[in-house]
């Protein structure tokens, strides 16, 4: 098909062709674009010169013109990248052709792009070991340069393999004339770049002192050492000691910058004076870039800080202690003068890692006695702006506040509390030009704009919403508001407005616009609710049926289970290739649909998950495979790639964990099992540090005993896993093992808290242990927690307070420790209360009344906890009113936002005292609170003051009031229009009393939509009749009849035929996937 002459590609054959020939060529180009397997097959048939030329055209995405046809390589490249396995197939072909062609110097200019395909995922250890070791010097150096550029893309095992390959190349250069160790010259250390971190401690000690001396004095050595972010403690200290032995003056801290990140392992602080300590502290700022544990760095900074302030006060040295200042406790910061903080703010606001209590102290010190905030103040505070009292934002002029939102407030918006966000938006909205201020509000803060505010907008351009984060209530209103003068198709691609499209509007779209909008819907499918997806899926089903096209998988999964089950094998390719578009997060709640998708995917694969290409097709669906499917269908050949995907799965069941662990041990057992895949399973005692680090959180799947072995062998790889941010809690057995490794085993037969504890006989937790353990601190016995020293407690209280799951005894012990450290409750400052975190759950009602709760900062801190009793919440709410001197009617929106869940402690008879303005500005937040029914019923009355009687509420209002809608009476429930049922929040559905829920008609139950139908509680279901259960199941399954009430009567839908089965109208599509369905009246469940 292709021929080459030099670097020019052209089609073979005569120069002149007929129109028929051009048509054939256009069809050929379309095949290359639409069928990536065909494209890769064609590329593999080329010789090396043709292949490299084609790859250059493909990677540059150029448009090439010939006498017969114009070829768009950019479209071809995009198609390849979007196809599951496309990049992998291209890499495989390139590997086959280019690895050995490197000996001739070919492909070298393409290696950077090839190796970075899919972020370097395809560059595994076996690829590196296949690379020639007899390359020319230029090719060797050029390829090494590519590896250095792409270092962070590669797994640790791959990095180690590359390091060995480079070392082998360097050793070959010196082998004939030198001893084996002479290759470790200064020049070669520099040549290794970041791969130097893979040198063993023994290899580092063998580097000659003269070569080390030359290396450390290279001008570019500092830059190299500044980039070794992943160096471990052992190699780091070994390099430092070797450099010290080479004659480098470690005592001269003015040249410590030459050490780069090795300075983080400095261990000669005893000889330093205050000036040297200050200089070294500034060098240690870069240590925050280290990727391992920073506990040793924290200790080093603390030692240097102690030296600095030995002969001068903190007030005098505050501006010169660099980021070590973050190690000061809130009480130490409280002792600073306002002037010291104000003069040092330029330094303080650049420091990262402040806790909430530290931020509050510093912001209050900066403001001093001033009660007026300005744009200048906000800018100076920088990241510390989140420590300001929310009420101060009401003192800023709207012009200055708008200016601040374009800079500091926008940059740190996610750090602001709900009260602060509400105060900022409320103050901005006091301006006369409402449209202008809405346009200027930063996207991340826009969700604080209440629906009641938007209802008063005179006009708004859709372009103003492109970067806004919209709540669903905002989206429903704005979509309807803008669609009156803007075509629906134009609104779909405007920011998050898609959230607000209703079923009625979907049905009103003409077929051409609908099909043209499919890419927009597919790309932003995560913005749609389950009900919106279901409505969209049925609409596309009708349209694509008439055009004999295949419905995309992302929409197929929104249809009833039977539509997935009856999809023919001829549609498997399209089904598998678009699996990646499906949002399985929404499917997990609908077990039957998820099972149907999994069943169909495995059926389409036929012979199981055979290799990495099948893994690419399944994508995140792997996280949802049942244990039996993983055991039976996941082959060992596919396992390495599958584990990369499984490593990111957040909600694996215990059964899945056990099967994955078994598979891991088959793949990564002992040396024996690595050589014989059929050998007996082996414990991971022989796992390397690199493998352990690459497995990441998959390590938590192995048994407690195996974790103990691995953590003791590779502590730097295993212990940091406990501090990594998680979507779901780490397994208890893993945390327990980590606790034992850090704490060790010891006597646990302490006396109960009711008796006198002799802390002299108890080894109390240290600050280092608490920092290492993070969430595993939950395993400390209560007696040991109560014996923590004052210094340790004040240093670590916020970390301890961030842990969830303490027992009542542990919480009481920590509360006692707080009282002993800080004194009587009446003397506690705001920062003390903020620092408590979950420890505050142990406060009794009497103790709550002893605290100073006059600040919204304390309310905000308390409202972050969700396990309060109603008595505790009530005490906090009414004590706040007394301490602040506010009455219920004087509460602002920011006060209600600060209260959060504590508002549920209000006496229902007092709710009418809340001002309409305060409620309306925070209605969206209040609508998420799990308050008792009497409170919801009174809040519903307050909502009616803003939005009118409940019977007149529309979709946007129902979304805004949220769970408060559950406070409607039985009569109001009956009067609620059926087409509004899916716009109730799932939390509202679950909160409706069973005696009210059973009053829903069949039409209302069928109209709930899939998500709301799944929110129905067992108690609510128990009150329904058989007919009602069937209607509820119809909504849950997304059957077409459930949509009828959401389609405007003026719209007519063409249906080829329909059949009514047991009262449910089902669409029948001739020649497509649908087979007649039969319903068995078994507890309202649908079966084939």
């Amino acid at each position: 098909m292709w021929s080459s002459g030099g670097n020019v590609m052209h089609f073979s054959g005569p120069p002149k062709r007929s129109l028929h020939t051009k048509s054939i060529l256009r069809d050929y180009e379309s095949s290359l674009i639409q069928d990536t397997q065909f494209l890769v097959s064609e590329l593999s048939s080329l010789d090396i010169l043709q292949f490299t030329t084609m790859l250059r055209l493909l990677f540059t995405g150029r448009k090439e013109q010939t006498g017969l046809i114009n070829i768009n390589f950019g479209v071809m490249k995009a198609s390849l990248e979007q196809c599951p396995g496309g990049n992998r197939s291209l890499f495989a072909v390139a590997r086959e052709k280019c690895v050995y062609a490197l000996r001739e110097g070919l492909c070298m200019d393409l290696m950077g792009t090839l190796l970075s395909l899919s972020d370097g995922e395809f560059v595994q250890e076996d690829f590196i070991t296949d690379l020639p070791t007899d390359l020319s010097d230029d090719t060797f150096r050029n390829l090494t340069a590519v590896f250095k550029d792409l270092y962070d893309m590669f797994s640790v095992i791959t990095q180690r393999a590359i390091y060995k390959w480079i070392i082998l190349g360097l050793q070959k250069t010196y082998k004939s004339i030198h001893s084996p160790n002479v290759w470790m010259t200064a020049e070669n250390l520099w040549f290794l770049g970041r791969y130097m971190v893979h040198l063993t401690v023994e290899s580092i000690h063998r580097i000659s002192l003269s070569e080390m001396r030359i290396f450390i004095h290279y001008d570019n050595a500092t830059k190299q050492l500044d980039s070794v972010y992943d160096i471990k403690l052992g190699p780091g200290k070994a390099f430092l000691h070797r450099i010290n032995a080479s004659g480098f003056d470690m005592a001269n801290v003015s040249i410590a910058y030459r050490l780069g990140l090795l300075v983080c392992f400095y261990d000669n602080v005893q000889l330093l004076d205050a000036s040297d300590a200050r200089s070294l502290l500034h060098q240690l700022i870069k240590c925050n870039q280290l990727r391992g544990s920073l506990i040793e760095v924290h200790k080093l900074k603390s030692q240097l800080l102690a030296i600095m302030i030995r002969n001068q006060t903190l007030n005098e040295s505050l501006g010169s202690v660099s980021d070590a200042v973050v190690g000061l406790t809130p009480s130490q910061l409280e002792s600073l003068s306002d002037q010291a903080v104000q003069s040092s703010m330029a330094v303080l606001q650049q420091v990262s890692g402040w806790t909430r209590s530290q931020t509050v102290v510093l912001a209050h010190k900066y403001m001093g006695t001033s009660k007026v905030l300005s744009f200048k103040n906000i800018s100076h505070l920088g990241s510390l702006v989140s420590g300001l009292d929310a009420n101060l934002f009401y003192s800023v002029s709207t012009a200055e506040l708008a200016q601040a939102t374009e800079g500091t407030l926008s940059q740190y918006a996610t750090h602001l509390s709900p009260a602060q966000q509400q105060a900022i938006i409320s103050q901005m909205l006091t301006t006369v030009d409402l449209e202008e201020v809405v346009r200027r509000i930063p996207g991340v803060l826009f969700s604080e704009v209440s629906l009641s505010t938007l209802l008063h907008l005179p006009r708004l351009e859709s372009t103003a919403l492109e970067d806004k984060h919209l709540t669903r209530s905002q989206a429903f209103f704005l979509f309807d508001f803008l669609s009156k003068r803007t075509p629906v198709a134009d609104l779909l691609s405007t920011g998050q407005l898609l959230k607000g499209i209703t079923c009625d509007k979907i049905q009103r779209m003409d077929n051409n616009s609908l099909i043209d909008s499919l890419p927009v819907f597919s790309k932003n499918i995560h913005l749609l609710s389950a009900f919106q997806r279901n409505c969209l899926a049925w609409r596309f089903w009708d349209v694509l049926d008439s055009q004999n096209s295949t419905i995309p998988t992302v929409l197929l999964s929104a249809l009833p289970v039977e539509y997935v089950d009856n999809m023919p094998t001829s549609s498997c390719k399209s089904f598998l290739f678009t699996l990646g578009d499906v949002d399985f997060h929404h499917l997990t709640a609908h077990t039957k649909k998820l099972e149907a998708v999994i069943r169909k995917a495995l059926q389409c694969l036929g012979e199981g998950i055979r290799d990495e290409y099948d893994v690419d097709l399944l994508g995140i669906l792997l996280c949802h495979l049942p244990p039996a499917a993983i055991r039976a269908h996941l082959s060992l050949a596919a396992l390495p790639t599958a584990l990369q995907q499984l490593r990111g799965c957040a909600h694996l069941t215990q059964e899945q964990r056990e099967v994955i662990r078994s598979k891991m041990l088959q793949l990564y057992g002992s040396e024996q099992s690595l050589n014989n895949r059929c050998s007996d399973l082996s414990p991971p005692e022989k796992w390397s540090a690199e493998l352990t680090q690459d497995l990441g959180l998959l390590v938590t799947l192995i048994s407690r005993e195996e974790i103990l072995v691995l953590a003791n062998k590779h502590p730097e790889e295993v212990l940091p896993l406990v501090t990594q941010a998680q979507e779901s809690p780490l397994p208890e057995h893993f945390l327990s093992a980590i606790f034992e490794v850090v704490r060790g085993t010891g006597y646990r037969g302490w006396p109960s808290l009711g008796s006198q504890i002799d802390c002299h006989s108890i080894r109390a937790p240290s600050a280092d242990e608490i920092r290492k353990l993070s969430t595993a601190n939950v395993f400390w016995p209560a007696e040991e927690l109560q014996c923590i020293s004052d210094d340790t407690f004040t240093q670590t209280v916020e970390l301890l307070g961030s842990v969830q799951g303490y027992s009542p005894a542990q919480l009481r012990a920590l509360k006692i420790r707080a009282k002993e450290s800080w004194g009587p409750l009446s003397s506690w400052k705001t920062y003390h209360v903020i620092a408590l975190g979950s420890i505050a759950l142990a406060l009794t009602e009497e103790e709550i009344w002893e605290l100073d709760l006059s600040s919204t900062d304390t309310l905000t801190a308390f409202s972050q906890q969700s396990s309060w009793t109603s008595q505790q919440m009530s005490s906090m709410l009414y004590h706040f009113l007394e301490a602040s001197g506010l009455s219920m009617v004087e509460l602002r929106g920011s006060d209600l936002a600060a209260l959060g869940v504590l508002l549920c402690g209000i006496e229902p008879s007092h709710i009418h005292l809340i001002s309409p303005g305060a409620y309306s500005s925070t209605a969206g937040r209040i609508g998420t609170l799990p308050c008792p029914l009497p409170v919801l019923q009174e809040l519903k009355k307050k909502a009616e003051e803003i939005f009118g009687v409940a019977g007149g509420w529309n979709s946007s209002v129902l979304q805004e009031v949220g769970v408060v809608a559950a406070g409607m009476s039985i009569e109001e429930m009956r009067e609620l229009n059926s087409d509004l049922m899916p716009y109730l929040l799932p939390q509202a559905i679950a909160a409706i009393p069973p005696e009210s829920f059973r009053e829903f008609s069949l039409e209302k139950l069928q109209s709930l939509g899939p998500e709301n139908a799944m929110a129905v509680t067992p108690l609510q279901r128990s009150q329904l009749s058989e007919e009602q259960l069937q209607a509820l199941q119809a909504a849950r399954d997304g059957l077409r009849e459930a949509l009828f009430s959401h389609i405007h009567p003026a719209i007519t839908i063409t249906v080829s035929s329909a059949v009514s089965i047991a009262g449910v109208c089902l669409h029948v599509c001739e020649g497509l996937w649908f087979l007649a369905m039969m319903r068995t009246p078994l507890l309202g469940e649908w079966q084939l």
Side-chain angles (χ1 to χ4, degrees), residues 183-229:
W183 74 267
M184 288 189 283
T185 63
E187 181 181 355
N188 286 345
L189 273 178
W190 169 80
F191 183 75
L192 279 173
R194 292 176 61 184
Y195 289 94
M196 68 181 290
V197 304
H198 295 279
L199 281 162
T200 63
V201 172
E202 295 75 16
S203 298
I204 295 168
H205 284 304
R206 288 201 299 266
I207 300 174
S208 75
L209 296 179
S210 60
E211 293 295 335
M212 188 63 81
R213 188 180 306 114
I214 296 171
F215 171 74
I216 197 62
H217 285 94
Y218 276 165
D219 289 338
N220 51 16
T222 300
K223 181 179 179 181
Q224 179 174 334
L225 293 174
D226 273 336
S227 68
V228 289
Y229 312 117

Side-chain angles (χ1 to χ4, degrees), residues 774-785:
S774 187
T775 53
N777 280 298
V778 75
F779 290 98
W780 289 109
E783 297 76 17
E784 295 187 11
L785 290 174

Side-chain angles (χ1 to χ4, degrees), residues 302-598:
S302 297
Q303 292 173 332
L304 295 172
L305 182 59
I307 294 172
M308 267 195 67
I309 62 177
R310 191 179 293 160
N311 297 317
Q312 60 180 159
T313 66
L314 270 175
N315 283 326
E316 295 171 323
S317 57
L318 183 63
S320 58
V321 296
S322 74
D323 66 346
V325 69
V326 81
L328 297 175
T329 65
S331 56
Q332 287 176 304
L333 296 175
E334 177 71 13
S335 69
L336 296 168
S337 68
D338 293 353
Q339 183 179 2
V341 172
Q342 291 160 2
S343 61
S344 304
M345 187 49 66
V347 173
L348 298 176
Q349 61 106 349
Q350 295 182 41
V351 175
S352 61
W354 294 111
T355 65
R356 177 69 179 162
S357 61
Q358 289 174 314
T359 302
V360 168
V361 172
L362 290 171
H364 286 198
K365 286 284 180 182
Y366 176 77
M367 291 303 296
T369 58
S370 175
K371 300 299 181 185
V372 178
L373 194 60
S374 66
F375 168 73
K376 182 180 179 181
N377 296 148
I378 294 172
S379 300
H380 283 176
L381 280 166
S383 63
L384 294 172
V385 71
S386 61
L388 288 172
D389 188 318
N391 290 319
L392 283 175
F393 289 105
Y394 290 107
S395 68
V396 192
S397 70
T398 54
E400 289 196 59
L401 195 55
Q403 189 178 0
T405 58
E406 295 175 355
T408 304
L409 294 179
S410 179
Q411 183 179 356
Y412 299 105
T414 55
H415 298 177
L416 299 175
S417 71
Q420 291 169 322
Q421 293 181 11
Q422 177 55 222
I424 291 167
I425 298 304
S426 294
Q427 180 64 4
M428 288 187 70
L429 292 175
T430 59
T431 187
V432 176
D433 191 347
L434 191 58
E435 181 184 0
E436 174 61 18
V437 75
V438 165
R439 186 186 63 79
R440 295 187 66 175
I441 290 174
V444 71
L445 288 175
F446 192 82
S447 58
E448 288 297 321
V449 179
S450 67
L451 177 62
S452 61
T453 297
L454 296 178
L455 291 174
H456 293 93
L457 270 178
R459 60 187 179 279
L460 188 67
E461 295 298 326
S462 60
T463 53
L465 300 171
E466 289 181 351
D467 65 338
K468 308 298 188 191
H469 291 210
L470 301 181
T471 65
R472 207 164 285 280
S473 63
Q474 290 173 328
F476 278 122
F477 169 76
L478 290 169
F479 200 103
D480 183 65
F481 179 75
L482 294 168
S483 65
K484 291 179 174 60
R485 53 193 178 88
T486 307
V488 168
D490 293 342
L491 296 177
L492 297 180
S493 56
T494 302
Q496 296 187 356
L497 270 179
L498 184 62
K499 284 182 180 179
I501 191 169
T502 62
C503 192
D504 182 59
K505 286 187 168 56
I506 290 172
Q507 294 293 343
R508 287 175 176 274
M509 293 181 70
D510 67 79
N511 292 354
N512 291 334
S513 295
L514 188 73
I515 292 176
D516 290 343
S517 300
L518 180 57
V520 176
F521 281 120
S522 297
K523 180 181 178 182
N524 300 293
I525 199 72
H526 61 282
L527 296 177
L528 300 178
S529 68
F531 171 70
Q532 289 170 314
R533 295 173 194 224
N534 181 241
C535 185
L536 186 67
W538 279 117
R539 182 73 175 92
F540 268 105
W541 180 267
D542 291 326
V543 174
L544 296 178
D545 173 26
S546 64
Q547 298 190 9
N548 199 27
S549 300
T550 302
I551 189 170
T553 307
V554 68
L555 296 178
L556 176 64
S557 62
L559 292 173
V561 169
E562 292 78 5
Y563 283 69
V564 179
D565 284 337
N566 292 292
M567 187 197 80
T569 54
S570 59
S571 297
C572 272
K573 182 176 180 180
S574 172
F575 177 81
L576 291 173
F577 273 39
T578 55
L579 265 180
D581 295 330
V582 179
D583 185 353
F584 292 103
H585 172 72
H586 280 268
L587 270 187
T588 51
H590 200 307
T591 307
K592 286 192 173 182
K593 283 193 178 181
L594 180 60
E595 289 174 352
V597 172
I598 292 172

Side-chain angles (χ1 to χ4, degrees), residues 235-272:
K237 282 188 173 293
F239 268 117
L240 200 64
H241 292 163
R242 201 63 179 161
I243 291 170
N244 183 36
S246 72
F248 187 85
D249 187 3
M250 290 290 181
N252 184 0
V253 295
S254 65
I255 59 172
Y257 72 91
R258 284 187 169 275
L259 297 172
L261 288 173
L262 296 181
V263 75
C264 307
F265 307 102
Y266 197 93
D267 57 1
N268 198 25
V269 299
Q270 297 82 4
L271 303 178
L272 301 180

Side-chain angles (χ1 to χ4, degrees), residues 788-803:
I788 295 174
S789 69
D790 286 349
D791 283 345
T792 297
F793 184 77
T794 54
Q795 288 175 37
T796 61
V797 59
E798 284 189 77
L799 175 53
L800 290 169
S802 69
V803 176

